[in-house]
Amino acid sequence: MDENERYHLYRKLRFLITDDFENFRKSMRQMLSSFGAEKIDMAANGNETIAKCTKDHYDVLICDFNLGSGKTGQQVLEALRHHKLLRHTSLFVLVTAETSREIVMGAREYHPDTYIIKPITQAVLQKRMDALMAQRHALYPINHALDQEDLPEAISQAEQLLQTKTRYRNRVMQILGDLYLQRGTPDLARGIYEQVLEGRELAWARMGMGRAALARNALDEAISHFETLIESNPDYIEAYDALADALQRKGNSRRAQEVVEKALEISPLAILRQKQLASIAASNQDMETAADAWRSTVKLSDNSIHDSPENYLGLGRTLSELSDGNTSSEGKQLADEALKALHNVGRRFKDDESAKTRKQLVAARVYAGQGRMNESRKALDSISDQLDPETLSPEETLDYARALYTQQEDGAAQRVLNQLAERCQDDPKIMKAIEELMDEPVSFHKKNQARALNKEGIKAFESGELGQAADSFSQALELVPQHPALNLNLVQVLLKNAEREGKGSDPSMLRRCERCLDQLSHLPPQHKQYKRYQFLKKKIADLTSGSNT
């Protein structure tokens, strides 16, 4: 790029410089002016930057990472992308004096167009900016089509550019592969990535192969690609996220959790990944890890676009599980931490009525878990006029049912969940949450004990030790008396044992089976154990009828 071309290119574009030090802003403006830039605005902090971008469009944003109090440069980029205030044709340059690994990795995750370390000389800035400008100019037709939300035109422009001898061939192929995946044509994307990998092992192409496999639901192939990529590029953070996704789809949530934890060791400042870890760990009943992940999420929420009541409610729920029934000093400390998190919901989200309701529902659980029943009931009474299962959201309804269980109002909780099951029978995620709550409406400590006993019972049953299996299932049911699978497991073991001993119609055995089935009269037809329950109920009824004739 000669000097005249540079002046012409820079003169057309609009720049925004963000830094909390005025002298730096002026210095950057002077350098850009020497390159030919004429339209240069400045901002002193993140909120001012976002306000300016909401009002006007900028072609190039140069933003410092450390902006004093308020948002960091990373959070500014995060917010601009979230609100779609940064066009595909725009450039975002992140500037920083920070060189710590966690800050560099965190900033890289949001894909600024380049990352420049202070102090900045005019020669360094010109070299980096000229390279960015040249690439922007070459790729402009593709990115302009994406700004117009015209995916077919963007693909067409990328395909045409590949027919030329562009110096940005690899970048165009990377974009085209992504566009094919967005269009839902993973085989075409795979063709692009294979072509690249035939010539050279590039991380983005290997990542694309894994993403294409995921899009085709070829989970084992996807896992293999991601593991290969991580082995050769251990800092390629996106591969960890994709690998965790593939492992979860295969039902291997334990391994998925390990992968997410490893990713967070590399890049701990990613709030959405912390939330993901909290969710996976909770599903694995690893509540200590879930609590730590929620704590990190809450800490990272400050000034983040991803700050939400759910971060504090998630921490409150998890600490409620950990403190439930634990009245030691440690348990009380966890409960106090939960209540503090819930207090912050009311303080930070004053106008969110749903958050206020859910805050009190979780607080009722925390109080009950510490034996503070009067305070628990007061928390529910304070929102009694808002607790209509017909108008509550699914998430609010689940919290309401949990609170009712802590009040020993099991029947009311089951009715609330049955109503929700009717409303949300086509929502697999909600149905799974309903079933889990119906099955195990107790603290996670009791859940873990019951699950361990259930595993012992299944192992004994498979070994033919029916008496031991029945004992294990019975002990588990003392902890979770209405658990569908456990009750049905015990019924089947009792029937098998009676059959083995030639006592298929033993009245005492049948009465015991009936008591198990009576515990499940609340099951909605949508529950995954409902058909099994109906089958065994009919079998016991037939045997009972036969024994009475």
Side-chain angles (χ1 to χ4, degrees):
M1 182 186 300
D2 63 33
E3 192 170 335
N4 287 333
E5 287 177 319
R6 180 186 304 115
Y7 265 79
H8 178 70
L9 189 55
Y10 279 76
R11 188 178 292 114
K12 292 191 305 180
L13 303 180
R14 189 164 187 182
F15 293 77
L16 177 61
I17 302 167
T18 302
D19 195 284
D20 55 331
F21 287 102
E22 184 179 6
N23 286 342
F24 181 81
R25 298 196 299 269
K26 288 180 177 179
S27 173
M28 291 296 293
R29 181 171 62 182
Q30 185 176 356
M31 284 190 257
L32 291 173
S33 296
S34 71
F35 304 158
E38 295 179 349
K39 305 168 187 174
I40 306 173
D41 289 341
M42 297 191 290
N45 56 59
N47 288 336
E48 188 180 348
T49 299
I50 294 168
K52 285 181 177 291
C53 290
T54 302
K55 182 180 178 182
D56 298 307
H57 162 65
Y58 291 95
D59 300 294
V60 183
L61 294 88
I62 301 175
C63 183
D64 191 27
F65 180 89
N66 191 341
L67 298 173
S69 61
K71 293 183 184 296
T72 65
Q74 174 183 321
Q75 290 173 329
V76 170
L77 177 55
E78 178 184 50
L80 292 176
R81 292 205 192 283
H82 180 81
H83 291 302
K84 298 183 179 178
L85 297 174
L86 195 64
R87 298 183 185 180
H88 290 83
T89 50
S90 296
L91 299 174
F92 192 97
V93 179
L94 194 60
V95 177
T96 184
E98 302 280 356
T99 57
S100 69
R101 176 181 170 83
E102 67 177 33
I103 287 179
V104 172
M105 289 301 300
R108 278 175 49 185
E109 288 212 51
Y110 290 94
H111 303 292
D113 291 281
T114 194
Y115 189 85
I116 303 179
I117 303 294
K118 289 181 176 180
I120 303 172
T121 65
Q122 183 163 325
V124 167
L125 182 64
Q126 182 172 323
K127 182 178 179 180
R128 299 289 284 275
M129 292 301 300
D130 283 358
L132 282 176
M133 292 293 190
Q135 179 171 294
R136 177 186 184 275
H137 180 69
L139 302 180
Y140 187 88
I142 302 171
N143 288 322
H144 179 67
L146 290 174
D147 284 335
Q148 301 300 312
E149 299 184 350
D150 190 343
L151 183 60
E153 176 62 17
I155 290 173
S156 175
Q157 289 291 341
E159 290 172 338
Q160 289 178 49
L161 190 52
L162 279 183
Q163 302 307 311
T164 69
K165 293 184 179 180
T166 175
R167 61 184 290 196
Y168 303 106
R169 181 175 180 79
N170 274 349
R171 178 60 183 142
V172 176
M173 294 184 81
Q174 182 180 6
I175 292 171
L176 185 56
D178 288 342
L179 296 177
Y180 283 148
L181 287 175
Q182 288 180 42
R183 191 176 67 178
T185 51
D187 288 334
L188 289 177
R190 181 173 58 176
I192 291 285
Y193 302 131
E194 285 176 338
Q195 185 179 343
V196 172
L197 292 171
E198 284 173 5
R200 184 181 170 194
E201 180 68 33
L202 292 177
W204 63 262
R206 181 62 62 190
M207 181 72 187
M209 287 291 287
R211 290 172 60 208
L214 265 185
R216 293 182 285 107
N217 206 36
L219 299 180
D220 289 332
E221 180 188 338
I223 289 169
S224 176
H225 285 302
F226 298 137
E227 288 178 335
T228 298
L229 176 54
I230 289 170
E231 185 176 351
S232 58
N233 294 270
D235 284 349
Y236 203 97
I237 205 72
E238 293 91 341
Y240 292 86
D241 295 331
L243 176 57
D245 179 25
L247 289 167
Q248 278 195 285
R249 292 198 206 179
K250 277 192 68 94
N252 193 345
S253 60
R254 290 286 177 186
R255 174 88 195 289
Q257 180 178 330
E258 293 172 4
V259 170
V260 176
E261 287 175 327
K262 179 61 178 177
L264 284 168
E265 288 177 16
I266 299 168
S267 182
L269 302 182
I271 184 172
L272 295 181
R273 190 174 298 115
Q274 292 284 3
K275 289 183 74 168
Q276 181 189 21
L277 176 59
S279 175
I280 296 175
S283 72
N284 289 334
Q285 294 298 299
D286 183 357
M287 291 301 173
E288 287 85 0
T289 298
D292 284 341
W294 279 123
R295 289 183 183 109
S296 296
T297 300
V298 166
K299 184 177 179 181
L300 292 169
S301 291
D302 200 26
N303 296 310
S304 170
I305 192 64
H306 298 297
D307 189 19
S308 75
E310 187 56 40
N311 300 340
Y312 300 86
L313 291 167
L315 177 58
R317 286 193 205 95
T318 306
L319 293 172
S320 171
E321 294 276 6
L322 285 168
S323 62
D324 188 9
N326 182 359
T327 55
S328 68
S329 59
E330 179 189 9
K332 290 177 181 177
Q333 187 175 351
L334 291 170
D336 288 343
E337 185 185 355
L339 294 170
K340 182 179 178 181
L342 297 172
H343 173 73
N344 284 332
V345 173
R347 183 175 60 84
R348 296 176 70 93
F349 307 96
K350 295 178 181 178
D351 299 327
D352 190 327
E353 292 302 322
S354 174
K356 291 179 184 177
T357 300
R358 297 175 72 188
K359 163 200 162 187
Q360 292 298 90
L361 291 170
V362 179
R365 292 175 59 198
V366 177
Y367 287 129
Q370 291 294 297
R372 297 159 64 179
M373 298 308 296
N374 285 337
E375 289 164 285
S376 178
R377 281 188 284 272
K378 284 180 182 178
L380 282 184
D381 289 344
S382 70
I383 52 171
S384 59
D385 59 337
Q386 301 166 43
L387 299 179
D388 181 355
E390 294 296 326
T391 59
L392 291 175
S393 70
E395 291 75 17
E396 290 169 335
T397 306
L398 289 167
D399 276 332
Y400 183 28
R402 293 184 185 104
L404 288 170
Y405 276 124
T406 65
Q407 303 286 320
Q408 281 100 42
E409 296 185 32
D410 293 11
Q414 289 160 5
R415 286 192 294 274
V416 166
L417 291 174
N418 280 328
Q419 286 178 275
L420 183 59
E422 289 179 14
R423 285 167 52 196
C424 300
Q425 55 187 307
D426 296 326
D427 187 327
K429 186 177 179 181
I430 296 297
M431 288 305 302
K432 183 173 184 283
I434 292 170
E435 289 179 5
E436 288 176 350
L437 186 51
M438 274 191 165
D439 295 355
E440 299 174 322
V442 294
S443 71
F444 101 102
H445 299 289
K446 288 185 178 181
K447 290 177 190 176
N448 283 345
Q449 293 176 49
R451 289 174 183 180
L453 288 164
N454 187 39
K455 287 180 181 178
E456 289 178 12
I458 292 171
K459 185 177 180 181
F461 178 77
E462 290 172 346
S463 301
E465 299 172 8
L466 301 183
Q468 179 59 49
D471 287 343
S472 294
F473 292 139
S474 297
Q475 290 177 51
L477 284 168
E478 290 177 12
L479 299 167
V480 281
Q482 293 184 317
H483 193 289
L486 280 168
N487 276 291
L488 298 176
N489 286 348
L490 180 55
V491 169
Q492 287 192 284
V493 167
L494 293 173
L495 287 172
K496 184 76 173 177
N497 194 48
E499 182 182 315
R500 175 187 288 182
E501 295 179 358
K503 300 179 181 179
S505 298
D506 177 21
S508 63
M509 180 275 295
L510 292 174
R511 283 194 296 274
R512 191 176 178 189
C513 289
E514 286 175 336
R515 286 195 296 272
C516 287
L517 295 172
D518 286 343
Q519 292 281 7
L520 307 183
S521 59
H522 64 282
L523 280 190
Q526 298 87 356
H527 196 288
K528 64 183 177 183
Q529 297 285 354
Y530 187 77
K531 289 183 179 178
R532 183 184 175 203
Y533 161 64
Q534 290 286 5
F535 171 79
L536 288 173
K537 185 178 179 181
K538 184 177 185 305
K539 186 168 185 178
I540 294 299
D542 290 344
L543 288 172
T544 301
S545 175
S547 68
N548 292 333
T549 57

PDB file of all heavy atoms in Angstrom, residues 69-84:
ATOM      1  N   SER A  69     -12.330   2.196  36.333  1.00  0.00           N
ATOM      2  CA  SER A  69     -13.558   1.595  36.866  1.00  0.00           C
ATOM      3  C   SER A  69     -14.558   1.405  35.726  1.00  0.00           C
ATOM      4  O   SER A  69     -14.552   2.148  34.755  1.00  0.00           O
ATOM      5  CB  SER A  69     -14.154   2.490  37.950  1.00  0.00           C
ATOM      6  OG  SER A  69     -14.483   3.759  37.418  1.00  0.00           O
ATOM      7  N   GLY A  70     -15.414   0.436  35.850  1.00  0.00           N
ATOM      8  CA  GLY A  70     -16.376   0.159  34.790  1.00  0.00           C
ATOM      9  C   GLY A  70     -15.920  -0.986  33.902  1.00  0.00           C
ATOM     10  O   GLY A  70     -15.092  -1.810  34.295  1.00  0.00           O
ATOM     11  N   LYS A  71     -16.441  -1.036  32.711  1.00  0.00           N
ATOM     12  CA  LYS A  71     -16.155  -2.135  31.788  1.00  0.00           C
ATOM     13  C   LYS A  71     -14.698  -2.143  31.353  1.00  0.00           C
ATOM     14  O   LYS A  71     -14.080  -1.090  31.181  1.00  0.00           O
ATOM     15  CB  LYS A  71     -17.043  -2.034  30.545  1.00  0.00           C
ATOM     16  CG  LYS A  71     -18.529  -2.252  30.788  1.00  0.00           C
ATOM     17  CD  LYS A  71     -19.286  -2.197  29.473  1.00  0.00           C
ATOM     18  CE  LYS A  71     -20.792  -2.311  29.694  1.00  0.00           C
ATOM     19  NZ  LYS A  71     -21.182  -3.598  30.271  1.00  0.00           N
ATOM     20  N   THR A  72     -14.169  -3.350  31.141  1.00  0.00           N
ATOM     21  CA  THR A  72     -12.866  -3.492  30.501  1.00  0.00           C
ATOM     22  C   THR A  72     -13.057  -3.445  28.986  1.00  0.00           C
ATOM     23  O   THR A  72     -14.186  -3.522  28.478  1.00  0.00           O
ATOM     24  CB  THR A  72     -12.215  -4.832  30.867  1.00  0.00           C
ATOM     25  OG1 THR A  72     -13.021  -5.898  30.330  1.00  0.00           O
ATOM     26  CG2 THR A  72     -12.083  -4.990  32.374  1.00  0.00           C
ATOM     27  N   GLY A  73     -11.954  -3.349  28.267  1.00  0.00           N
ATOM     28  CA  GLY A  73     -12.034  -3.387  26.806  1.00  0.00           C
ATOM     29  C   GLY A  73     -12.641  -4.684  26.314  1.00  0.00           C
ATOM     30  O   GLY A  73     -13.380  -4.710  25.323  1.00  0.00           O
ATOM     31  N   GLN A  74     -12.325  -5.783  27.009  1.00  0.00           N
ATOM     32  CA  GLN A  74     -12.919  -7.079  26.650  1.00  0.00           C
ATOM     33  C   GLN A  74     -14.436  -7.034  26.800  1.00  0.00           C
ATOM     34  O   GLN A  74     -15.174  -7.519  25.936  1.00  0.00           O
ATOM     35  CB  GLN A  74     -12.342  -8.177  27.536  1.00  0.00           C
ATOM     36  CG  GLN A  74     -13.000  -9.539  27.336  1.00  0.00           C
ATOM     37  CD  GLN A  74     -12.452 -10.588  28.287  1.00  0.00           C
ATOM     38  OE1 GLN A  74     -11.261 -10.626  28.554  1.00  0.00           O
ATOM     39  NE2 GLN A  74     -13.323 -11.439  28.821  1.00  0.00           N
ATOM     40  N   GLN A  75     -14.910  -6.431  27.889  1.00  0.00           N
ATOM     41  CA  GLN A  75     -16.357  -6.350  28.115  1.00  0.00           C
ATOM     42  C   GLN A  75     -17.027  -5.401  27.132  1.00  0.00           C
ATOM     43  O   GLN A  75     -18.191  -5.589  26.764  1.00  0.00           O
ATOM     44  CB  GLN A  75     -16.628  -5.924  29.551  1.00  0.00           C
ATOM     45  CG  GLN A  75     -16.277  -7.000  30.572  1.00  0.00           C
ATOM     46  CD  GLN A  75     -16.385  -6.525  32.005  1.00  0.00           C
ATOM     47  OE1 GLN A  75     -16.167  -5.337  32.300  1.00  0.00           O
ATOM     48  NE2 GLN A  75     -16.729  -7.431  32.913  1.00  0.00           N
ATOM     49  N   VAL A  76     -16.299  -4.377  26.669  1.00  0.00           N
ATOM     50  CA  VAL A  76     -16.834  -3.492  25.634  1.00  0.00           C
ATOM     51  C   VAL A  76     -17.050  -4.285  24.343  1.00  0.00           C
ATOM     52  O   VAL A  76     -18.124  -4.209  23.723  1.00  0.00           O
ATOM     53  CB  VAL A  76     -15.881  -2.302  25.378  1.00  0.00           C
ATOM     54  CG1 VAL A  76     -16.322  -1.518  24.135  1.00  0.00           C
ATOM     55  CG2 VAL A  76     -15.840  -1.387  26.593  1.00  0.00           C
ATOM     56  N   LEU A  77     -16.040  -5.046  23.942  1.00  0.00           N
ATOM     57  CA  LEU A  77     -16.165  -5.864  22.728  1.00  0.00           C
ATOM     58  C   LEU A  77     -17.294  -6.877  22.873  1.00  0.00           C
ATOM     59  O   LEU A  77     -18.092  -7.085  21.945  1.00  0.00           O
ATOM     60  CB  LEU A  77     -14.834  -6.576  22.460  1.00  0.00           C
ATOM     61  CG  LEU A  77     -14.785  -7.546  21.276  1.00  0.00           C
ATOM     62  CD1 LEU A  77     -15.221  -6.876  19.983  1.00  0.00           C
ATOM     63  CD2 LEU A  77     -13.377  -8.135  21.134  1.00  0.00           C
ATOM     64  N   GLU A  78     -17.370  -7.494  24.048  1.00  0.00           N
ATOM     65  CA  GLU A  78     -18.425  -8.464  24.356  1.00  0.00           C
ATOM     66  C   GLU A  78     -19.810  -7.822  24.196  1.00  0.00           C
ATOM     67  O   GLU A  78     -20.711  -8.385  23.560  1.00  0.00           O
ATOM     68  CB  GLU A  78     -18.218  -8.936  25.791  1.00  0.00           C
ATOM     69  CG  GLU A  78     -19.219  -9.918  26.344  1.00  0.00           C
ATOM     70  CD  GLU A  78     -18.932 -10.206  27.817  1.00  0.00           C
ATOM     71  OE1 GLU A  78     -18.775  -9.243  28.605  1.00  0.00           O
ATOM     72  OE2 GLU A  78     -18.879 -11.384  28.173  1.00  0.00           O
ATOM     73  N   ALA A  79     -19.971  -6.622  24.732  1.00  0.00           N
ATOM     74  CA  ALA A  79     -21.264  -5.925  24.667  1.00  0.00           C
ATOM     75  C   ALA A  79     -21.593  -5.499  23.241  1.00  0.00           C
ATOM     76  O   ALA A  79     -22.745  -5.618  22.793  1.00  0.00           O
ATOM     77  CB  ALA A  79     -21.241  -4.703  25.579  1.00  0.00           C
ATOM     78  N   LEU A  80     -20.603  -5.008  22.498  1.00  0.00           N
ATOM     79  CA  LEU A  80     -20.844  -4.579  21.115  1.00  0.00           C
ATOM     80  C   LEU A  80     -21.287  -5.758  20.254  1.00  0.00           C
ATOM     81  O   LEU A  80     -22.194  -5.637  19.429  1.00  0.00           O
ATOM     82  CB  LEU A  80     -19.579  -3.943  20.536  1.00  0.00           C
ATOM     83  CG  LEU A  80     -19.156  -2.598  21.147  1.00  0.00           C
ATOM     84  CD1 LEU A  80     -17.832  -2.141  20.547  1.00  0.00           C
ATOM     85  CD2 LEU A  80     -20.227  -1.535  20.940  1.00  0.00           C
ATOM     86  N   ARG A  81     -20.650  -6.907  20.454  1.00  0.00           N
ATOM     87  CA  ARG A  81     -21.063  -8.096  19.682  1.00  0.00           C
ATOM     88  C   ARG A  81     -22.461  -8.553  20.114  1.00  0.00           C
ATOM     89  O   ARG A  81     -23.278  -8.912  19.273  1.00  0.00           O
ATOM     90  CB  ARG A  81     -20.051  -9.217  19.877  1.00  0.00           C
ATOM     91  CG  ARG A  81     -18.683  -8.953  19.260  1.00  0.00           C
ATOM     92  CD  ARG A  81     -17.969 -10.259  18.959  1.00  0.00           C
ATOM     93  NE  ARG A  81     -16.577 -10.055  18.634  1.00  0.00           N
ATOM     94  CZ  ARG A  81     -16.104  -9.610  17.480  1.00  0.00           C
ATOM     95  NH1 ARG A  81     -16.953  -9.295  16.522  1.00  0.00           N
ATOM     96  NH2 ARG A  81     -14.804  -9.474  17.275  1.00  0.00           N
ATOM     97  N   HIS A  82     -22.720  -8.542  21.407  1.00  0.00           N
ATOM     98  CA  HIS A  82     -24.011  -9.000  21.918  1.00  0.00           C
ATOM     99  C   HIS A  82     -25.147  -8.149  21.371  1.00  0.00           C
ATOM    100  O   HIS A  82     -26.200  -8.668  20.985  1.00  0.00           O
ATOM    101  CB  HIS A  82     -24.012  -8.956  23.444  1.00  0.00           C
ATOM    102  CG  HIS A  82     -25.284  -9.415  24.075  1.00  0.00           C
ATOM    103  ND1 HIS A  82     -25.593 -10.751  24.252  1.00  0.00           N
ATOM    104  CD2 HIS A  82     -26.352  -8.715  24.562  1.00  0.00           C
ATOM    105  CE1 HIS A  82     -26.773 -10.855  24.822  1.00  0.00           C
ATOM    106  NE2 HIS A  82     -27.260  -9.639  25.021  1.00  0.00           N
ATOM    107  N   HIS A  83     -24.954  -6.849  21.326  1.00  0.00           N
ATOM    108  CA  HIS A  83     -26.000  -5.935  20.848  1.00  0.00           C
ATOM    109  C   HIS A  83     -25.939  -5.697  19.335  1.00  0.00           C
ATOM    110  O   HIS A  83     -26.695  -4.881  18.812  1.00  0.00           O
ATOM    111  CB  HIS A  83     -25.884  -4.587  21.579  1.00  0.00           C
ATOM    112  CG  HIS A  83     -26.240  -4.656  23.034  1.00  0.00           C
ATOM    113  ND1 HIS A  83     -27.465  -5.101  23.485  1.00  0.00           N
ATOM    114  CD2 HIS A  83     -25.519  -4.349  24.154  1.00  0.00           C
ATOM    115  CE1 HIS A  83     -27.494  -5.047  24.810  1.00  0.00           C
ATOM    116  NE2 HIS A  83     -26.328  -4.605  25.236  1.00  0.00           N
ATOM    117  N   LYS A  84     -25.022  -6.407  18.667  1.00  0.00           N
ATOM    118  CA  LYS A  84     -24.853  -6.300  17.209  1.00  0.00           C
ATOM    119  C   LYS A  84     -24.590  -4.853  16.783  1.00  0.00           C
ATOM    120  O   LYS A  84     -25.150  -4.359  15.805  1.00  0.00           O
ATOM    121  CB  LYS A  84     -26.085  -6.867  16.483  1.00  0.00           C
ATOM    122  CG  LYS A  84     -26.297  -8.346  16.773  1.00  0.00           C
ATOM    123  CD  LYS A  84     -27.463  -8.922  15.998  1.00  0.00           C
ATOM    124  CE  LYS A  84     -27.621 -10.409  16.294  1.00  0.00           C
ATOM    125  NZ  LYS A  84     -28.774 -11.012  15.588  1.00  0.00           N
TER     126      LYS A  84
END
